Amino acid sequence: MKSLWNEEEAKQYTDELGLRVYTSQLLGRDTNLVLHGGGNTSVKITEKNILGEDVDMLYVKGSGWDLETIDRPGFSPVKLDHLIKLANLESLSDPQMVNELRANMSLASAPTPSVEAILHATLPFKFVDHTHADAIVTITNNEKGKERIQEIYGDRVVIIDYIMPGFDLARLCAKQFAEQAHEKTEGMILLNHGIFSFADDARESYERMISMVNEAEEYLKREGAWDLDFSGAAATPPNIESIAKLRKDVSVTVGKPMILSTVSSDKMMSFSQRNDLATISQQGPATPDHVIRTKRLPMLGTSVSNYISQYESYFQTYAKNARDEKTMLDPAPRMVIDKELGFISIGKTAKDANIVSDIYDHTIDVILRAEKLGGYRALSGQDIFDMEYWDLEQAKLRKGGSSPEFTGEVALVTGAYSGIGKACVEDLLAKGAAVVALDITPEVTTMYSRADFIGLECDVNDEAQIKNSIKKAVLAFGGLDIVVLNAGMFPGGCQIKEMETDVWKKVMSVNLDANVVLLREVYPLLKASPKYGRVIFMGSKNVPAPGPGAAAYSASKAALTQLARITALEWGGDAIRVNTLHPDAVFDTGIWTEEVLQARAKHYGMSVQDYKTKNILKTEIKSKDVAELVSTLCSSSFSKTTAAQIPIDGGNDRVI
Ligand code: ZN
């Protein structure tokens, strides 16, 4: 581990809060120090209040901010002398403590200060840095953790036995620091939790953190507990139907759809196949901060492909135990370790699921290195329980807040790179769904860079590519709830007397045949949808009101509409809803260039604007309008509707 301090970068920050922002970001850049919101920092600054009086403020990381991306507004200013007085109280409940923190800020709009604010306040240094560094928790999550820490740092650090974060920890640290600290004290190690460094200078405090963690890493290397070997794991093709089934069970237990993300890296595979997996993985997370986001214990199954006999009973026992222990708001596990698949992380969103797998990726290093050092010893079951049922965490869970309509659901859209397909992707993402976008255009893979999106290059006429895309969708998000059959082609005007056989076949193949294959392949996944499966067919105005010169297109869309009706009949018993849209005159798509529009308008002797709005409502129909209707049809508003055919054409007298 190296210091990332850079003079050029540092020059941009001239004041104390600026430097606090800078070194906090430096900590956040190293995932072995800080991961997804873990860790916190502070700076003590004297400033003038509105009356012109000098006041000492503690600027401490606010909740909801990550050190990696924190900026000035991420630090909450709290009156320092009040915090120090609080630290002298005999007791203070955690909700009372949070109230005191919020009520003593000098900026009403600042985020809620970190629950470790009082601890920061009591350390008599301008800058305080706190992380849950992997190397430190590796050493302290060990039978002889305390002795090893003493061996490494001597009396340069104050050592605090494990106690849950919150007021009692702040009070204990203040007391122990006052008793043990001396001139050469550089830091404080909280056993089974993490490390504090401090100094009156931003760089010094940061670099003390780096050098202390570095000493821990060097110690692990000296003890032969650093290098890990993840080679030699056996791979098995994933059984995606079993993953979807597991997702359904998890979702039903939580009471809402969840995302399951499978990581089959060499590391995860190798870990999942260890003989001692049950012993080493069932102890608990490496630091209390991880308890909340990963839940206490991983769920272990021997293989997801043999779901019924192995997972189902295990899952039910897990959920029951969790419920029996106490009224639990959300008893579902957040991770599953599977011998065939590696690691499955579970979250309300794809982002949450990614956080779980990132944390566990580091936890594996911690566990395996601690094992090499003599044995991983996580927090006791009671400590983990206390953390999980912490008043503050339960309050957060209860508060919840409303989520977008499709949160936790997974949608697949074909023809997703442009026009209506792209608009559907955007609308579904905006409404909370994780989206799998299929398109023949390779650029679909880089359409967006976000956790809840995967773009897959796929020729819908290639069965193998379809199967592979669906497999990737399930590995990424755990299943499918919504399918939008949008991919299609319009070959250009052509009378039957001039129809080329190959053109006819190609249109039928893309607009009709490909969808039959896709439907067949997604059926078991839609059937396993936690709520209900939904399919939207993109028909066309040409179905109810065909025109000359579009035989192949109109016939393919008419056949597709008939396919939708049969699908609705066959799948209704599985609670899968199937509906069809008949759009018309959607001109903001790839095929309608300005030239084509002008040519068509001229053909009718109209202006482009009149041509675009030649419908009963005299309105322009955009891709976005179609996408919104797709989402609405998939929403609970239409939960009792299947086999509907809905025009979105501004009103067409031939259709009416
Ligand atoms: Zn902490």
Side-chain angles (χ1 to χ4, degrees):
M1 180 163 297
K2 286 198 173 69
S3 167
L4 302 175
W5 179 276
N6 175 304
E7 278 301 332
E8 279 306 304
E9 279 180 355
K11 269 187 200 156
Q12 300 167 33
Y13 304 96
T14 47
D15 62 323
E16 289 167 336
L17 184 57
L19 285 164
R20 178 67 285 174
V21 167
Y22 178 56
T23 55
S24 300
Q25 290 178 358
L26 293 184
L27 290 173
R29 281 185 208 168
D30 193 329
T31 57
N32 295 317
L33 277 176
V34 165
L35 202 56
H36 292 301
N40 41 60
T41 56
S42 67
V43 57
K44 300 177 183 77
I45 299 174
T46 306
E47 56 190 22
K48 295 226 184 288
N49 68 12
I50 202 159
L51 304 172
E53 300 158 344
D54 281 340
V55 194
D56 292 333
M57 304 301 298
L58 176 82
Y59 277 82
V60 64
K61 193 194 93 159
S63 67
W65 286 79
D66 279 6
L67 291 183
E68 189 183 2
T69 50
I70 200 163
D71 212 333
R72 290 168 191 269
F75 286 93
S76 309
V78 197
K79 289 172 196 142
L80 185 61
D81 59 348
H82 189 75
L83 291 174
I84 292 181
K85 282 181 201 160
L86 289 177
N88 290 323
L89 285 175
E90 273 302 308
S91 72
L92 187 66
S93 77
D94 288 321
Q96 280 175 323
M97 177 182 76
V98 172
N99 180 62
E100 288 302 308
L101 297 181
R102 283 200 62 79
N104 285 280
M105 299 196 302
S106 63
L107 186 66
S109 61
T112 300
S114 160
V115 294
E116 280 161 345
I118 297 177
L119 206 172
H120 281 256
T122 61
L123 294 168
F125 296 88
K126 184 172 270 296
F127 291 90
V128 176
D129 295 41
H130 170 49
T131 73
H132 310 128
D134 290 351
I136 299 293
V137 295
T138 302
I139 294 167
T140 65
N141 279 309
N142 218 283
E143 202 148 82
K144 291 191 178 133
K146 194 170 184 174
E147 287 88 332
R148 291 178 191 277
I149 291 295
Q150 279 164 342
E151 187 187 334
I152 299 168
Y153 302 105
D155 66 351
R156 288 181 290 136
V157 298
V158 173
I159 302 174
I160 311 286
D161 288 329
Y162 180 78
I163 178 169
M164 195 177 125
F167 178 73
D168 292 343
L169 175 64
R171 201 165 163 273
L172 177 71
C173 289
K175 189 166 165 281
Q176 303 254 335
F177 187 87
E179 284 169 13
Q180 295 177 35
H182 50 81
E183 267 179 13
K184 296 210 171 86
T185 302
E186 291 172 10
M188 188 160 71
I189 305 270
L190 280 56
L191 298 178
N192 302 83
H193 177 156
I195 173 170
F196 278 82
S197 66
F198 28 72
D200 289 327
D201 174 79
R203 180 175 182 174
E204 195 182 348
S205 180
Y206 165 70
E207 290 190 337
R208 274 184 178 172
M209 173 68 71
I210 301 299
S211 77
M212 283 193 290
V213 175
N214 220 357
E215 283 178 77
E217 290 185 352
E218 291 304 321
Y219 177 83
L220 289 169
K221 286 174 193 165
R222 277 202 308 280
E223 296 291 314
W226 184 257
D227 293 325
L228 301 171
D229 179 14
F230 296 115
S231 61
T236 316
N239 179 329
I240 59 172
E241 284 178 38
S242 296
I243 298 177
K245 174 84 172 64
L246 176 63
R247 171 169 176 257
K248 184 171 186 171
D249 278 356
V250 169
S251 302
V252 167
T253 310
V254 179
K256 55 182 94 171
M258 300 292 275
I259 298 290
L260 267 65
S261 176
T262 304
V263 185
S264 304
S265 61
D266 285 350
K267 180 172 181 175
M268 293 300 195
M269 294 303 296
S270 154
F271 186 75
S272 72
Q273 290 169 13
R274 287 177 66 101
N275 292 329
D276 58 355
L277 181 68
T279 328
I280 61 174
S281 69
Q282 295 299 294
Q283 289 194 37
T287 165
D289 180 53
H290 293 172
V291 176
I292 307 303
R293 280 169 292 181
T294 61
K295 295 279 166 180
R296 55 182 64 197
L297 299 175
M299 184 167 91
L300 290 183
T302 51
S303 75
V304 77
S305 62
N306 200 359
Y307 183 86
I308 301 302
S309 62
Q310 299 177 5
Y311 265 100
E312 204 158 48
S313 60
Y314 192 93
F315 181 82
Q316 282 161 0
T317 313
Y318 184 100
K320 186 179 177 302
N321 286 346
R323 267 192 295 265
D324 287 353
E325 280 173 17
K326 198 165 173 178
T327 311
M328 201 173 183
L329 292 170
D330 174 358
R334 286 293 182 273
M335 56 177 84
V336 172
I337 300 175
D338 182 272
K339 270 190 162 50
E340 288 177 2
L341 290 168
F343 186 80
I344 304 171
S345 59
I346 302 167
K348 291 190 171 108
T349 62
K351 195 176 164 199
D352 287 354
N354 279 3
I355 290 174
V356 170
S357 51
D358 284 353
I359 288 176
Y360 209 72
D361 188 85
H362 283 263
T363 304
I364 288 176
D365 292 348
V366 169
I367 291 175
L368 297 184
R369 287 184 176 135
E371 278 294 303
K372 287 190 169 199
L373 203 59
Y376 179 64
R377 298 282 177 278
L379 298 172
S380 74
Q382 186 61 45
D383 289 329
I384 294 170
F385 181 88
D386 291 346
M387 192 65 203
E388 194 165 0
Y389 291 96
W390 196 5
D391 295 352
L392 302 180
E393 287 305 322
Q394 293 290 298
K396 258 192 243 166
L397 273 178
R398 254 179 239 113
K399 213 164 95 191
S402 67
S403 315
E405 168 109 35
F406 300 132
T407 301
E409 298 207 83
V410 188
L412 180 144
V413 181
T414 66
Y417 186 65
S418 60
I420 292 172
K422 186 180 182 199
C424 288
V425 171
E426 280 168 6
D427 202 65
L428 288 161
L429 282 172
K431 293 190 166 86
V435 177
V436 183
L438 267 48
D439 204 287
I440 199 162
T441 312
E443 287 79 16
V444 70
T445 56
T446 52
M447 259 174 101
Y448 303 98
S449 171
R450 45 191 285 176
D452 52 3
F453 173 86
I454 53 166
L456 302 170
E457 185 183 350
C458 177
D459 176 353
V460 289
N461 279 119
D462 184 324
E463 279 202 38
Q465 287 188 32
I466 287 187
K467 284 182 185 169
N468 198 30
S469 298
I470 292 170
K471 188 178 90 184
K472 284 181 178 165
V474 175
L475 291 177
F477 302 129
L480 281 178
D481 307 287
I482 295 169
V483 172
V484 182
L485 298 174
N486 170 69
M489 63 178 289
F490 186 83
C494 171
Q495 299 265 330
I496 293 168
K497 62 189 178 197
E498 288 154 357
M499 179 69 70
E500 287 174 33
T501 313
D502 284 351
V503 171
W504 173 270
K505 282 187 177 164
K506 174 79 180 160
V507 175
M508 284 295 168
S509 160
V510 173
N511 290 3
L512 180 63
D513 304 353
N515 291 310
V516 180
V517 176
L518 196 80
L519 285 166
R520 186 188 70 210
E521 296 300 320
V522 298
Y523 168 67
L525 303 171
L526 292 175
K527 193 178 162 189
S529 167
K531 279 167 113 181
Y532 34 66
R534 283 142 285 173
V535 184
I536 301 293
F537 280 69
M538 206 55 71
S540 166
K541 179 231 45 171
N542 282 35
V543 174
Y553 182 76
S554 299
S556 69
K557 288 292 189 183
L560 185 68
T561 305
Q562 194 73 345
L563 178 65
R565 299 171 73 195
I566 310 287
T567 312
L569 287 169
E570 290 187 2
W571 295 2
D574 298 311
I576 301 169
R577 299 195 281 112
V578 181
N579 292 293
T580 304
L581 290 187
H582 292 317
D584 186 32
V586 182
F587 294 115
D588 61 340
T589 64
I591 34 174
W592 291 95
T593 61
E594 199 52 39
E595 291 92 74
V596 176
L597 263 175
Q598 272 171 9
R600 295 309 295 163
K602 205 174 157 194
H603 176 79
Y604 287 97
M606 289 173 159
S607 70
V608 168
Q609 188 54 30
D610 284 348
Y611 177 69
K612 277 185 176 175
T613 56
K614 61 175 176 61
N615 53 52
I616 304 276
L617 295 172
K618 300 264 174 276
T619 186
E620 206 175 316
I621 301 118
K622 300 201 161 147
S623 298
K624 191 173 178 297
D625 301 320
V626 181
E628 279 176 12
L629 187 53
V630 165
S631 293
T632 308
L633 265 175
C634 293
S635 75
S636 55
S637 303
F638 279 84
S639 62
K640 309 291 164 66
T641 299
T642 193
Q645 295 180 44
I646 301 177
I648 171 157
D649 55 9
N652 179 304
D653 48 11
R654 288 184 58 216
V655 174
I656 292 168

